[in-house]
Amino acid sequence: MTHTVSEHCEDCPVHNLGNLTRLGINMHQVDFVVALAGNPNTGKSTVFNALTGLRQHTGNWPGKTVARAEGGFEYGNKRFKIVDLPGTYSLLSNSTDEEVARDFILFGQPDVTVIVVDATRLERNLNLVLQVLEITDRAVLCVNLMDEARRNGIAVDVRQLARELGIPVVAASARQEEGIPELLKSIYEVASGTYVCRPYRLEKTSPSLEKAIGTLTAQLKSEFPDLPNTRWIALRLLEGDQKIIDSVKSGELKGLYRANSVNRVPQTAATAP
Amino acid sequence: MTDPVHIVVAAGILILAAAVFLLPRHGVLARMKRVHKDARRVMIEDALKHLHDCDYNKIACTVPSIAGALMISLDDAAALTSRLSAMGLLVPTDTGVKLTPEGNSYALRVVRVHRLWEKYLADETSLPQTEWHSSAEDREHRISPAEAEALAAQLGNPLFDPHGDPIPTAAGEIPPKKGAPLSSVAPGEWAVITHIEDEPKALFAQLSAEGLYVGMRIKMIEHTNLRIRFAADGEEIVLAPVIANNLSVELLPHAETVPASPMATLASVTVGEAVTVVGISKALRGQQRRRLLDLGVVPGTLVRAEMRSVSGDPTAYTIRGALVALRNEHAQMIFIERGERVSA
Amino acid sequence: MDNKDSILSTAHALRYEIGEDIHDTLVGAIYHDAELIASRVTSRPDGKKASTFGATLDRFLTNRWFGFPLMFLLLAVVFWLTVEGANVPSGMIASVLVDMVHPWLRDTLTSLNSPWWLTGVLADGVYLAMAWVISVMLPPMAIFFPLFTLAEDFGYLPRVAFNMDSLFRKAGAHGKQALSLTMGFGCNAAGVVATRIIDSPRERLIAIITNNFSLCNGRWPTQILIASIFFGALVPAHLAGIITAGAVVIVALLGIAFTLIVSWGLSHTILKGQASAFSLELPPYRPPRLLQTLYTSLIDRTIIVLWRAIVFAAPAGAVIWLVSNIHVGGVTIAELFIDWSDPFAFVLGLNGVILLAYIIAIPANEIVIPTVLMLTVLSAKLTGVGSGAGVMFELDEANAVADVLRVGGWTVLTGVNVMLFSLLHNPCSTTIYTIYKETKSVKWTIVATVLPIVMGLVICFAVAQAYRLVVG
């Protein structure tokens, strides 16, 4: 995680800027991009609103937010752009919502991906968390609805969870603005590189699948040595994901390894095409 | 007497009518011509598909078999054969006709589109399975190669169609045939259905009415010349041998863990009862299957029925800490196990 | 072969080896780990079980005997609060915007030396249409939407969907359609937006296309007025209220019946092949927050819908004024159209005025009655009523309205058919626009627009013929 862009890829586009622009993000005067992922009805929109001061409609419903929303905030003298991804249960299928979220995290390479989960349904929500951690190694977990969990007599040990997952975990009740300052701090730390994540990665699936993944990751590693998520790429290839097949073919994958954001100079980046 | 306005109106109507008929692309005449041309292409493509089928199943193709498959007269079939031959798509052999390499690659393209469509219809739409084949038959001729590739990409480049047939790759590769006829399974042996032939339609309708699907595990009970009896998903199914021939299976080694008793489904669970999921029926496909997986309905999941709706269906279950309502029709396709792991 | 190709061909070959179950295997493995992690970090420190409040409430709300009555009771209370509560503020807004600001605006424009036609288009057309839409639309929505949002926030609505699902399943639809349907009683545009909660493509399309069969609050006043004139008047005064309410409720129930029938039809014909997936999550109950709810429902639903309606009403106001004031060969365009379409309208049991009113008042159902009154006065050359050509108006007394309508040739048949036509006609332009935005499909927008109007024409025709056969 200490490589710089110039050490490894002289000619690839500076960082992830091109991709982000292509994904429709106006990168003017932005230091860091934060993606917001989560299951439907986990209070993702409330977290988004608390972070940005915007007022998106939220409701006690799964799937309120359909269009992608963007907002911004400042913290520690840095400007953050936050992109609210569609609420999904998973990132594996080819439904539009899941594709949008998956491609944004993979190709857009946000500096931080914040995953919002419902403290009262942690197990179900971890499905998405573990999938996100397969793709990116810069994530912050926001365990939301802690008030509701307390009311239901559920305690969540966030420090233990942080140790298990290898990423910062923040307990929050976004409706009461509880935990938002801590969330901002964690986002800042991961974005600026002061906190280095060691994300949990899936190890066992089935013997035949593991064998296939092993074969494929070995080949991928020799062609794309800097890829931080080779295993995920291998899985996507085995699922026949056309976008990944194309990006292997075109070599676009090469540009998709994580450069340390500290080395990124946003002011010059903003003027790049 | 004649009002100039009337003349103008009449002329306008005439011009409009002429345009409707004669417009180069959207006019009625152009359309009729296109339909005729399309019909010819459909003929050719269907014949090629039939020839490919023969090839794949290693049986001889003849002019009468083409006539039978396409439901056309012998004369028409002979004319079609000579046209295909003139196009360099087939050559005669001792026993009948067979595809040339060009014919084969054309046929594979048609087969690919057909099977992609079937896969699409099975996974991404809620069309009943008896209609997949005819609907795909209809659409396979109306799709450009680029559209076919976009479809394949959207579906995640599937390898098999819903009947278990391999889908040829864009490069025209197709793996060799696998599986044995159902009659090769001895009583007491376990097998998994790998293919259900979708033609002729009447036989396929019978098979799908029995609830058979690719990936279904069966245990042979008896087979005689009169009937073949086997257990599948906890039910006993009896088929006439002529129908059973349309099923291909692969033997399962005995080591496979297959529940011996009929499998209970989630639909049989009473309110307040907790059970463990052992699997989702392969007949549950596409979006609905993914939804269940996403919600955490995987083998080993503890599920508890909490309440039924006022009208008795759907039922709400606690699944991995969340309260989720499922309809009876879907609960019937989730296999469960009672006992063990169950805690209140 | 270069490296990249060899990676891809390896991957392809491996796919045949691992089979098609990869997705299942993967999700299974993820959940296996998720379960382990969750069990290590979550606990119930007080040893107490999950709060029983939710479970108890659920049992009560889905109880065979209480479930439905409770639901209807709540719905009835919401409607009563909306209709009753909206009366006073509606009147107040109207008296300010129509009775005070309108004359002032006219005077100001005139004093600025604006030509008469400009004053007409701006003050009598554009302004008046907007004022009407605001005064009729705003108060009910400002009451209905927050109430609805409160129930939503609390978590009651998913239980309604749970209870109603079986009925909608038989029609090939999703239980959540019960909610977009109810929302449609407030406003069809909001109802169409509410279908977002339906996460199955086919069922969502069904809900969008059939939402117009929910009698929206722009159409309630029309229904109530016509019912009281043509049915309430048939019985003694003390029964009039009940009969009127009964007639309106029958029309609303008819709307629900059409919703189910058309849903069934759609799911078995043109939408047969659309993808469908059902699951309904029942979230835990949450204490609703009053202020937040008021704020978001006002901003998100009421104001946005109102804004769209105003935007569409403004040009319609201009058109209404213009057709009643532009003369061709000595008569206005409106009269030309009315005379021309009268024979056709007669076959449908309606009249030319009604057809024209529904065509030019497409932006908002709220202005149909004022437009009908104005056009009736215009075409029947009445004097002493109304404020002149192109100026919409309403009368305080239902009796006065009845007199105007009778002069316009209305019979009981006209009354019945107007009520039916008000239920079964194209959605207002705000809704059409919203349908397009939600479906992103011209095809489905056209279907949703044309289907109800065709049904309306057919049914009005049938009723008219039957009525004339029986009554003569």
Side-chain angles (χ1 to χ4, degrees):
Chain A
M1 289 314 307
T2 50
H3 310 307
T4 61
V5 179
S6 52
E7 265 172 30
H8 286 278
C9 175
E10 302 281 13
D11 52 351
C12 64
V14 179
H15 197 47
N16 50 348
L17 206 78
N19 276 329
L20 282 168
T21 319
R22 202 183 61 214
L23 288 162
I25 309 294
N26 174 12
M27 289 297 292
H28 190 59
Q29 298 208 323
V30 176
D31 295 320
F32 297 113
V33 172
V34 180
L36 195 62
N39 277 17
N41 204 33
T42 51
K44 202 158 67 75
S45 299
T46 320
V47 171
F48 181 88
N49 290 343
L51 287 175
T52 58
L54 289 177
R55 290 265 175 262
Q56 249 195 50
H57 177 73
T58 59
N60 193 4
W61 265 118
K64 194 89 239 175
T65 320
V66 170
R68 191 184 66 194
E70 283 174 32
F73 62 89
E74 264 191 53
Y75 186 85
N77 282 327
K78 294 285 180 191
R79 281 177 301 262
F80 290 78
K81 171 158 261 178
I82 181 160
V83 179
D84 194 9
L85 300 176
T88 58
Y89 291 111
S90 166
L91 293 177
L92 293 173
S93 84
N94 42 20
S95 80
T96 320
D97 279 359
E98 293 184 28
E99 221 170 322
V100 167
R102 184 170 69 217
D103 289 350
F104 191 84
I105 300 174
L106 182 65
F107 294 113
Q109 292 229 291
D111 297 281
V112 185
T113 301
V114 176
I115 316 158
V116 183
V117 297
D118 177 348
T120 64
R121 285 145 189 230
L122 192 60
E123 189 178 324
R124 221 269 303 286
N125 285 247
L126 279 174
N127 174 34
L128 181 74
V129 176
L130 295 183
Q131 291 184 31
V132 172
L133 294 188
E134 291 283 306
I135 310 178
T136 173
D137 48 9
R138 303 184 145 237
V140 173
L141 184 68
C142 170
V143 184
N144 195 23
L145 305 174
M146 284 301 276
D147 49 340
E148 210 164 286
R150 276 194 294 274
R151 213 168 38 242
N152 286 295
I154 300 170
V156 178
D157 184 348
V158 288
R159 296 176 69 182
Q160 175 66 22
L161 190 54
R163 273 197 293 277
E164 296 271 350
L165 297 175
I167 55 169
V169 178
V170 178
S173 304
R175 300 214 304 186
Q176 277 78 38
E177 308 250 319
E178 213 181 286
I180 298 301
E182 292 83 349
L183 182 60
L184 284 167
K185 183 160 163 278
S186 294
I187 294 173
Y188 179 80
E189 284 174 356
V190 173
S192 61
T194 40
Y195 187 109
V196 178
C197 302
R198 310 214 171 282
Y200 182 94
R201 291 276 157 93
L202 220 57
E203 269 155 25
K204 305 193 292 279
T205 49
S206 74
S208 63
L209 186 54
E210 281 309 315
K211 207 175 128 229
I213 293 173
T215 315
L216 211 50
T217 43
Q219 286 200 22
L220 280 166
K221 278 227 165 75
S222 71
E223 176 71 14
F224 306 103
D226 296 310
L227 220 54
N229 47 6
T230 324
R231 196 190 145 87
W232 166 260
I233 300 294
L235 271 171
R236 293 312 302 169
L237 286 176
L238 291 173
E239 288 229 44
D241 186 328
Q242 190 64 41
K243 280 224 176 75
I244 304 292
I245 295 177
D246 290 345
S247 71
V248 168
K249 226 181 260 172
S250 69
E252 184 192 0
L253 215 50
K254 256 202 176 115
L256 281 189
Y257 65 86
R258 187 70 250 177
N260 198 331
S261 290
V262 178
N263 295 314
R264 182 161 146 221
V265 188
Q267 272 68 30
T268 52
T271 55
Chain B
M1 189 62 215
T2 38
D3 190 330
V5 175
H6 289 170
I7 295 172
V8 170
V9 169
I13 291 174
L14 271 177
I15 291 171
L16 199 74
V20 165
F21 256 91
L22 300 173
L23 269 183
R25 281 193 53 222
H26 300 288
V28 172
L29 271 183
R31 270 172 207 268
M32 275 167 65
K33 236 162 118 182
R34 207 157 48 226
V35 166
H36 183 68
K37 212 172 114 202
D38 280 356
R40 255 178 58 180
R41 206 183 76 216
V42 168
M43 263 318 165
I44 290 174
E45 295 188 349
D46 285 347
L48 288 175
K49 238 170 43 180
H50 172 68
L51 283 158
H52 171 262
D53 256 10
C54 297
D55 210 32
Y56 194 67
N57 294 312
K58 311 230 178 332
I59 44 176
C61 245
T62 56
V63 171
S65 81
I66 293 175
L70 272 63
M71 289 186 286
I72 53 176
S73 73
L74 271 178
D75 288 349
D76 287 349
L80 185 60
T81 312
S82 58
R83 194 184 308 140
L84 287 172
S85 175
M87 289 165 81
L89 297 174
L90 63 76
V91 286
T93 62
D94 312 338
T95 47
V97 288
K98 70 168 205 169
L99 290 170
T100 62
E102 295 78 52
N104 194 45
S105 90
Y106 190 172
L108 281 172
R109 266 204 320 271
V110 181
V111 170
R112 172 172 165 80
V113 176
H114 177 83
R115 293 184 180 166
L116 279 173
W117 260 120
E118 284 195 326
K119 179 74 176 165
Y120 170 80
L121 294 172
D123 278 11
E124 305 296 325
T125 74
S126 46
L127 219 58
Q129 61 170 328
T130 43
E131 288 179 36
W132 296 341
H133 181 73
S134 48
S135 183
E137 197 86 303
D138 194 35
R139 294 198 214 182
E140 70 195 16
H141 307 290
R142 292 194 262 135
I143 187 171
S144 74
E147 283 169 330
E149 289 328 298
L151 181 66
Q154 187 201 335
L155 295 172
N157 297 304
L159 302 175
F160 297 96
D161 79 357
H163 307 293
D165 288 316
I167 299 174
T169 63
E173 292 152 5
I174 188 165
K177 192 184 177 181
K178 274 208 291 190
L182 183 61
S183 52
S184 67
V185 185
E189 276 187 324
W190 283 93
V192 58
I193 298 178
T194 55
H195 175 233
I196 302 176
E197 180 55 43
D198 53 8
E199 270 187 322
K201 263 190 209 155
L203 292 192
F204 179 66
Q206 273 195 50
L207 291 170
S208 70
E210 292 284 0
L212 300 178
Y213 52 85
V214 171
M216 192 184 214
R217 290 174 173 191
I218 60 158
K219 187 188 183 188
M220 185 61 73
I221 298 172
E222 83 169 290
H223 73 80
T224 65
N225 288 339
L226 293 174
R227 60 179 191 171
I228 293 187
R229 199 153 67 91
F230 57 91
D233 284 353
E235 275 179 58
E236 203 173 290
I237 294 170
V238 181
L239 294 177
V242 60
I243 298 176
N245 275 342
N246 277 1
L247 292 177
S248 300
V249 296
E250 232 176 296
L251 280 181
L252 286 176
H254 286 292
E256 292 265 354
T257 51
V258 205
S261 58
M263 279 201 263
T265 70
L266 194 58
S268 69
V269 174
T270 52
V271 169
E273 192 185 356
V275 295
T276 309
V277 173
V278 293
I280 305 177
S281 163
K282 282 273 194 302
L284 199 59
R285 29 173 91 247
Q287 292 198 2
Q288 186 67 49
R289 184 185 193 85
R290 287 197 296 267
R291 179 72 54 78
L292 289 176
L293 290 173
D294 289 347
L295 294 172
V297 181
V298 296
T301 303
L302 195 68
V303 172
R304 202 169 95 148
E306 297 291 350
M307 57 183 176
R308 285 197 209 287
S309 149
V310 172
S311 42
D313 179 20
T315 304
Y317 304 90
T318 299
I319 302 172
R320 299 198 181 264
L323 193 58
V324 178
L326 298 179
R327 283 178 177 171
N328 199 37
E329 55 189 296
H330 301 132
Q332 274 171 351
M333 299 208 252
I334 300 171
F335 302 122
I336 51 126
E337 209 169 52
R338 295 189 158 85
E340 292 169 61
R341 273 202 67 172
V342 174
S343 60
Chain C
M1 184 151 64
D2 90 335
N3 250 338
K4 290 168 189 153
D5 289 335
S6 104
I7 290 173
L8 294 178
S9 64
T10 311
H12 186 71
L14 285 169
R15 291 184 69 201
Y16 283 102
E17 274 171 41
I18 55 176
E20 290 200 296
D21 288 341
I22 171 170
H23 198 107
D24 289 36
T25 312
L26 203 53
V27 179
I30 293 171
Y31 265 113
H32 176 264
D33 288 17
E35 195 178 325
L36 273 181
I37 296 173
S39 72
R40 275 186 225 137
V41 301
T42 49
S43 57
R44 294 187 175 278
D46 319 336
K48 82 179 174 186
K49 300 279 290 175
S51 140
T52 53
F53 168 73
T56 313
L57 192 57
D58 268 343
R59 253 194 296 284
F60 186 67
L61 293 179
T62 60
N63 181 286
R64 190 184 306 216
W65 306 109
F66 304 120
F68 279 137
L70 204 73
M71 193 180 78
F72 288 124
L73 190 72
L74 272 172
L75 202 62
V77 168
V78 167
F79 278 126
W80 185 79
L81 283 175
T82 307
V83 173
E84 282 298 308
N87 267 339
V88 178
S90 253
M92 278 161 56
I93 296 177
S95 72
V96 172
L97 293 185
V98 179
D99 300 340
M100 287 162 62
V101 178
H102 179 234
W104 172 85
L105 190 68
R106 278 197 71 101
D107 293 346
T108 313
L109 282 171
T110 317
S111 70
L112 288 174
N113 286 330
S114 113
W116 70 274
W117 54 268
L118 190 63
T119 311
V121 168
L122 290 181
D124 299 339
V126 174
Y127 171 79
L128 210 51
M130 294 198 304
W132 227 286
V133 167
I134 293 173
S135 68
V136 181
M137 216 168 163
L138 182 59
M141 288 209 303
I143 297 171
F144 184 80
F145 286 142
L147 288 176
F148 207 81
T149 313
L150 275 180
E152 176 182 343
D153 255 15
F154 177 60
Y156 177 59
L157 297 190
R159 271 75 186 175
V160 172
F162 179 62
N163 280 336
M164 297 296 288
D165 183 63
S166 142
L167 182 65
F168 282 91
R169 177 172 49 86
K170 284 173 193 140
H174 196 296
K176 286 180 188 168
Q177 192 177 330
L179 308 172
S180 61
L181 181 151
T182 316
M183 186 72 112
F185 283 127
C187 168
N188 293 132
V192 169
V193 174
T195 61
R196 284 182 186 178
I197 57 176
I198 301 174
D199 45 13
S200 177
R202 175 172 74 171
E203 283 74 3
R204 179 159 184 234
L205 264 179
I206 291 176
I208 289 177
I209 294 171
T210 57
N211 196 272
N212 189 44
F213 296 120
S214 290
L215 205 57
C216 71
N217 98 53
R219 291 182 270 174
W220 286 97
T222 312
Q223 298 283 348
I224 294 170
L225 182 73
I226 304 293
S228 67
I229 292 175
F230 291 96
F231 299 107
L234 295 178
V235 293
H238 64 279
L239 290 176
I242 298 210
I243 293 294
T244 305
V248 177
V249 168
I250 286 174
V251 172
L253 290 178
L254 206 61
I256 296 179
F258 279 126
T259 300
L260 291 171
I261 294 168
V262 173
S263 296
W264 186 88
L266 287 171
S267 64
H268 286 82
T269 55
I270 48 175
L271 290 177
K272 193 160 97 180
Q274 294 282 323
S276 152
F278 179 87
S279 74
L280 170 64
E281 205 174 337
L282 303 170
Y285 293 102
R286 288 175 192 160
R289 294 154 303 161
L290 285 172
L291 287 178
Q292 192 95 11
T293 302
L294 261 173
Y295 180 82
T296 49
S297 66
L298 268 178
I299 294 299
D300 273 20
R301 289 180 174 153
T302 315
I303 299 299
I304 286 179
V305 169
L306 187 69
W307 173 243
R308 277 191 193 171
I310 291 174
V311 167
F312 282 108
V319 170
I320 291 170
W321 190 87
L322 290 172
V323 294
S324 345
N325 283 284
I326 296 180
H327 293 254
V328 176
V331 273
T332 58
I333 295 179
E335 286 168 281
L336 270 179
F337 179 87
I338 290 167
D339 289 341
W340 173 80
S341 66
D342 240 355
F344 169 67
F346 176 79
V347 178
L348 297 172
L350 300 167
N351 60 43
V353 168
I354 299 167
L355 285 190
L356 180 60
Y358 270 102
I359 291 172
I360 56 183
I362 187 180
N365 287 293
E366 281 81 359
I367 52 177
V368 166
I369 286 295
T371 310
V372 163
L373 288 177
M374 181 274 287
L375 290 174
T376 306
V377 170
L378 178 77
S379 69
K381 308 256 183 302
L382 280 182
T383 48
V385 201
S387 331
V391 188
M392 290 175 280
F393 67 93
E394 216 159 47
L395 297 162
D396 292 337
E397 284 287 307
N399 283 337
V401 178
D403 291 340
V404 173
L405 295 182
R406 292 224 168 78
V407 172
W410 286 46
T411 61
V412 175
L413 172 67
T414 325
V416 171
N417 274 3
V418 165
M419 286 176 80
L420 288 173
F421 197 67
S422 149
L423 174 70
L424 298 170
H425 68 89
N426 55 284
C428 68
S429 51
T430 315
T431 305
I432 297 176
Y433 175 67
T434 309
I435 292 172
Y436 177 73
K437 281 198 68 166
E438 294 295 317
T439 60
K440 301 252 181 344
S441 148
V442 176
K443 180 179 156 201
W444 296 123
T445 310
I446 292 174
V447 169
T449 308
V450 173
L451 186 78
I453 192 146
V454 169
M455 288 177 62
L457 295 177
V458 169
I459 286 174
C460 283
F461 173 79
V463 169
Q465 300 315 310
Y467 179 89
R468 281 174 191 141
L469 264 180
V470 177
V471 184

